[in-house]
């Protein structure tokens, strides 16, 4: 369906392979874990070095890709600062790191992708997170979106259904000092009941409908950003708000393509 959309309207995040990256999709995540968590004292760069690496490419990413050009401009300073700071390449398997700052999604193994930088920024901006808010992310993937959120508020909870991705994201986040992020293995369709309610919920995989447990776990006045639509079809990126009486309104932000929300066993309940 991608060809039916104006390029400026459709942000392909996954699904159709990105040109030049398809062969890299099989890359496993293990080398990243080895690099980051058991690299050994001699080989492991210190944390300040990790954050300064490839800073210039991050600046180019922020000051070109996030500037609009036929799409919503990213103007929220907290989002821009987070995108400038977080070393996106370290969330990507080494074989694919060359592509870390391109305006595309990048494979992270297990058929999943780290979102295009613009989509991460757009979703974070729409979510309107402020310091002190409690945020739930469904679909940890690489852990990059969770790190961006953790730059804004210390109360970030993220849930992933694929165990190797969950383990890797936890290792990367800990290595980079994002130990305040609570990473959980399970089916995010059910949210995380014991930590609810949340001020904000961000879903980074496409659901067929807004999962009722997620809407229930949103505080009155809360916001959710979620792609809704069939697997590997054009989906609508929705901003959902819950009013003080528990009523729902939603607004379409963009047409997008996300990997599907996988229905698990309900273990995340
Ligand atoms: N936010 C991620 C990108 C995630 S890609 C990042 O910053 O890298 C979507 C992720 O959602 C994949 O890792 C996929 O395994 C996960 N996912 C799919 N269905 C899920 C479910 N029911 N619960 C939790 N995670 C799910």
């Amino acid at each position: 369906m991608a060809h039916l959309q104006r390029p400026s309207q459709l942000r392909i995040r996954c699904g159709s392979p990105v040109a030049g990256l398809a062969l890299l999709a099989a890359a496993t995540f293990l080398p990243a874990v080895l690099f980051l968590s058991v690299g050994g004292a001699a080989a492991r760069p210190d944390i300040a070095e990790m954050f300064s690496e490839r800073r210039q490419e991050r600046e180019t990413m922020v000051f070109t890709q996030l500037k609009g050009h036929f799409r919503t401009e990213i103007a929220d300073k907290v989002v821009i600062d987070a995108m400038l700071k977080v070393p996106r390449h370290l969330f990507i398997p080494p074989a694919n790191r060359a592509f870390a700052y391109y305006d595309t999604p990048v494979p992270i193994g297990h058929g999943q992708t780290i979102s295009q930088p613009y989509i991460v920024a757009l979703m974070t901006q729409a979510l309107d997170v402020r310091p002190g808010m409690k945020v739930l992310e469904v679909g940890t993937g690489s852990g990059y979106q969770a790190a961006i959120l953790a730059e804004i508020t210390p109360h970030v909870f993220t849930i992933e259904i694929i165990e190797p991705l969950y383990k890797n994201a936890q290792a990367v986040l800990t290595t980079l000092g994002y130990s305040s992020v609570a990473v959980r293995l399970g089916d995010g369709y059910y949210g995380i009941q014991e930590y609810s309610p949340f001020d904000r919920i961000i879903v980074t995989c496409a659901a067929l409908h807004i999962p009722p447990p997620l809407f229930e776990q949103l505080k009155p006045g809360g916001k959710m950003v979620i792609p809704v639509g069939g697997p590997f079809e054009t989906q609508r990126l929705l901003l959902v708000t819950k009013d003080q009486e528990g009523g729902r309104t939603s607004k379409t932000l963009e047409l997008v393509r996300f990997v599907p929300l996988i229905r698990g066993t309900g273990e995340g309940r």
Side-chain angles (χ1 to χ4, degrees):
M1 288 183 75
H3 63 283
L4 297 176
Q5 307 298 327
R6 273 178 38 220
S8 62
Q9 291 181 312
L10 183 63
R11 309 280 161 247
I12 299 176
R13 183 168 165 254
C14 35
S16 328
V18 177
L21 295 181
L23 287 177
L24 300 174
T28 114
F29 224 172
L30 195 56
V33 178
L34 291 175
F35 172 79
L36 284 164
S37 57
V38 290
R44 190 161 140 183
D46 72 20
I47 197 156
E49 252 178 74
M50 289 192 273
F51 276 84
S52 62
E53 268 175 16
R54 300 181 66 174
R55 166 86 192 188
Q56 192 153 9
E57 286 169 88
R58 275 196 293 290
E59 286 177 7
T60 305
M61 171 184 85
V62 166
F63 297 122
T64 57
Q65 297 169 32
L66 309 190
K67 273 293 162 204
H69 308 298
F70 305 107
R71 51 194 190 186
T72 305
E73 180 173 359
I74 309 303
D76 188 338
K77 192 171 180 312
V78 295
V79 178
I80 290 172
D81 288 348
M83 300 284 294
L84 280 172
K85 183 172 173 191
V86 178
R88 178 174 162 90
H89 59 288
L90 296 180
F91 291 84
I92 293 176
N96 296 0
R97 281 192 191 157
F99 307 99
Y101 298 102
Y102 285 25
D103 193 15
T104 65
V106 179
I108 56 172
H110 306 276
Q112 308 302 323
T113 56
I114 180 174
S115 307
Q116 179 186 5
Y118 174 76
I119 287 291
V120 174
L122 181 73
M123 291 174 83
T124 311
Q125 177 169 270
L127 204 60
D128 189 24
V129 182
R130 293 295 160 237
M133 284 185 174
K134 190 156 48 143
V135 184
L136 171 67
E137 179 196 23
V138 174
T140 314
S142 68
Y144 176 69
Q145 173 75 72
I148 293 288
L149 294 168
E151 285 292 336
I152 306 173
T153 179
H155 312 297
V156 177
F157 300 84
T158 181
I159 181 164
E160 169 59 52
I161 201 164
I162 297 178
E163 189 166 4
L165 291 177
Y166 150 78
K167 284 188 173 156
N168 189 80
Q170 194 164 46
V172 176
L173 288 165
T174 303
T175 302
L176 290 173
Y178 294 108
S179 25
S180 68
V181 177
V183 189
R184 159 77 64 102
L185 177 65
D187 183 354
Y189 181 92
Y190 300 100
I192 309 182
Q193 179 70 46
E194 67 266 37
Y195 295 125
S196 68
F198 299 97
D199 297 286
R200 301 288 186 260
I201 298 179
I202 178 170
V203 181
T204 66
C205 40
L208 293 174
H209 53 258
I210 296 164
L214 292 184
F215 191 71
E216 269 167 36
Q217 290 174 29
L218 201 56
K219 277 187 193 168
K223 295 182 185 178
M224 181 186 332
V225 174
I226 178 171
V228 173
F232 305 109
E233 290 178 358
T234 300
Q235 302 130 3
R236 287 176 306 137
L237 183 62
L238 298 182
L239 172 63
V240 178
T241 49
K242 185 174 193 171
D243 64 29
Q244 295 300 333
E245 287 73 47
R248 185 165 98 190
T249 50
S250 52
K251 174 183 158 196
T252 300
L253 299 172
E254 265 285 1
L255 298 178
V256 288
R257 282 183 108 178
F258 277 76
V259 286
L261 184 142
I262 302 161
R263 294 305 309 277
T265 57
E267 61 196 301
R269 259 181 283 195

